[in-house]
């Protein structure tokens, strides 16, 4: 399977806390991407990390990648109610298409 | 700069009918991918178009077909609709192996009754 699998399936935290989501995959990859989806809307690209990178930051987001374990994590620091959404990881091979898992549903309680 | 535009936003069809969904990619993008997302599930890859050709296809029956036009816009056609085809259909565009990933449209919500 080329898709990523997110864990946990659901996560509920208080506003201001940090949220960590994990992703596992099975194939060799060129890069791994994280997306956010607000309820019933399109996906929004958050960050892309290449297979030769170990960590990447974007604002309050921090992504790590461990190719030896075929896993990645997404950390959202100082969460806000607006971060409430589903988060998907998408490992990308040279085929240049993306396969998504079932996502992590994050709820940030004000 | 307009992003990805999908039409219509909502659609109700009767079982057995045919439907056509449309997608205009982001300016500068030449590749269009289609996804089906059932309620509570992740997006499932249907197919990808590049240079007016279907480049890759997911595990969907031949009832699902598509087309890409010279201006890179795309259509998704579904024949002989089933109740199980009810879903959010997402179009995503990209350009090569852009570090900016895919740009998604807001989707078309298809309900089959």
């Amino acid at each position: 399977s080329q898709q990523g699998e997110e864990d946990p399936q659901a996560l509920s935290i208080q506003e201001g806390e940090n949220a960590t989501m994990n992703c596992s995959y099975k194939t060799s990859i060129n890069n791994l991407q994280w997306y956010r989806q607000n309820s019933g809307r399109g996906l929004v690209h958050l960050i892309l990390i290449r297979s030769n990178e170990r960590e990447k930051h974007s604002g309050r987001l921090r992504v790590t990648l461990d190719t030896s374990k075929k896993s990645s994590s997404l950390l959202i620091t100082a969460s806000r109610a607006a971060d409430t959404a589903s988060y998907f990881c998408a490992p990308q091979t040279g085929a240049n298409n993306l396969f998504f898992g079932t996502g992590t549903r994050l709820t940030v309680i004000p | 700069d307009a992003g990805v535009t999908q039409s219509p936003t909502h659609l109700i069809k009767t079982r057995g009918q045919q439907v056509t969904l449309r997608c205009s990619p982001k300016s500068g993008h030449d590749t269009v991918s289609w996804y089906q997302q059932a309620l509570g599930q992740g997006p499932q890859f249907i197919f990808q178009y590049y240079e007016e050709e279907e480049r890759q296809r997911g595990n969907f029956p031949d009832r699902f077909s598509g087309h890409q036009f010279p201006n890179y816009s795309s259509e998704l056609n579904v024949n002989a609709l089933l109740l199980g085809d009810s879903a959010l259909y997402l179009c995503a565009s990209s350009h090569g192996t852009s570090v900016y990933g895919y740009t998604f449209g807001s989707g078309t919500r298809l309900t089959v009754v």
Side-chain angles (χ1 to χ4, degrees):
Chain A
S1 173
Q2 301 176 57
Q3 69 186 44
E5 294 294 339
E6 298 86 355
D7 176 72
Q9 289 187 333
L11 180 62
S12 184
I13 60 174
Q14 296 289 328
E15 200 167 30
E17 294 181 338
N18 296 341
T20 299
M21 289 158 268
N22 302 298
C23 170
S24 61
Y25 58 93
K26 295 182 178 177
T27 63
S28 296
I29 61 171
N30 289 347
N31 66 66
L32 186 141
Q33 303 178 32
W34 285 90
Y35 288 80
R36 182 187 74 229
Q37 184 179 35
N38 292 90
S39 181
R41 305 297 299 276
L43 280 71
V44 174
H45 179 258
L46 295 177
I47 196 165
L48 180 153
I49 185 166
R50 297 189 183 281
S51 60
N52 62 354
E53 297 176 310
R54 292 296 170 258
E55 187 170 313
K56 199 163 184 179
H57 297 254
S58 177
R60 294 184 296 112
L61 305 180
R62 181 173 77 95
V63 168
T64 63
L65 179 64
D66 187 335
T67 54
S68 66
K69 295 181 179 179
K70 291 185 167 57
S71 66
S72 175
S73 67
L74 170 66
L75 169 68
I76 303 175
T77 61
S79 63
R80 305 166 181 170
D83 295 328
T84 294
S86 291
Y87 291 82
F88 297 90
C89 70
Q92 187 170 28
T93 67
N96 196 35
N97 54 18
L98 300 180
F99 294 87
F100 296 90
T102 55
T104 292
R105 174 66 187 171
L106 173 66
T107 301
V108 180
I109 303 168
Chain B
D1 178 26
V4 176
T5 304
Q6 290 189 244
S7 63
T9 55
H10 295 84
L11 199 56
I12 299 175
K13 287 287 190 178
T14 302
R15 188 172 48 184
Q17 285 188 316
Q18 179 265 343
V19 67
T20 297
L21 309 182
R22 295 176 175 82
C23 173
S24 293
K26 182 177 180 179
S27 177
H29 286 185
D30 56 10
T31 303
V32 174
S33 303
W34 286 92
Y35 291 83
Q36 179 195 67
Q37 187 176 25
L39 201 61
Q41 301 297 315
Q44 298 298 303
F45 174 70
I46 302 175
F47 42 53
Q48 183 181 76
Y49 277 85
Y50 173 71
E51 291 189 342
E52 302 179 51
E53 297 282 336
E54 182 182 290
R55 183 157 68 176
Q56 290 210 329
R57 187 179 184 93
N59 188 27
F60 278 79
D62 291 344
R63 298 187 297 109
F64 289 77
S65 63
H67 189 78
Q68 185 179 35
F69 299 93
N71 66 353
Y72 307 117
S73 66
S74 177
E75 288 181 350
L76 164 65
N77 300 291
V78 187
N79 294 323
L81 284 167
L82 305 174
L83 297 180
D85 295 331
S86 294
L88 180 67
Y89 288 84
L90 295 165
C91 170
S93 71
S94 59
H95 179 70
T97 54
S98 168
V99 298
Y100 299 106
Y102 284 18
T103 300
F104 280 81
S106 296
T108 293
R109 172 71 64 184
L110 172 65
T111 302
V112 182
V113 297

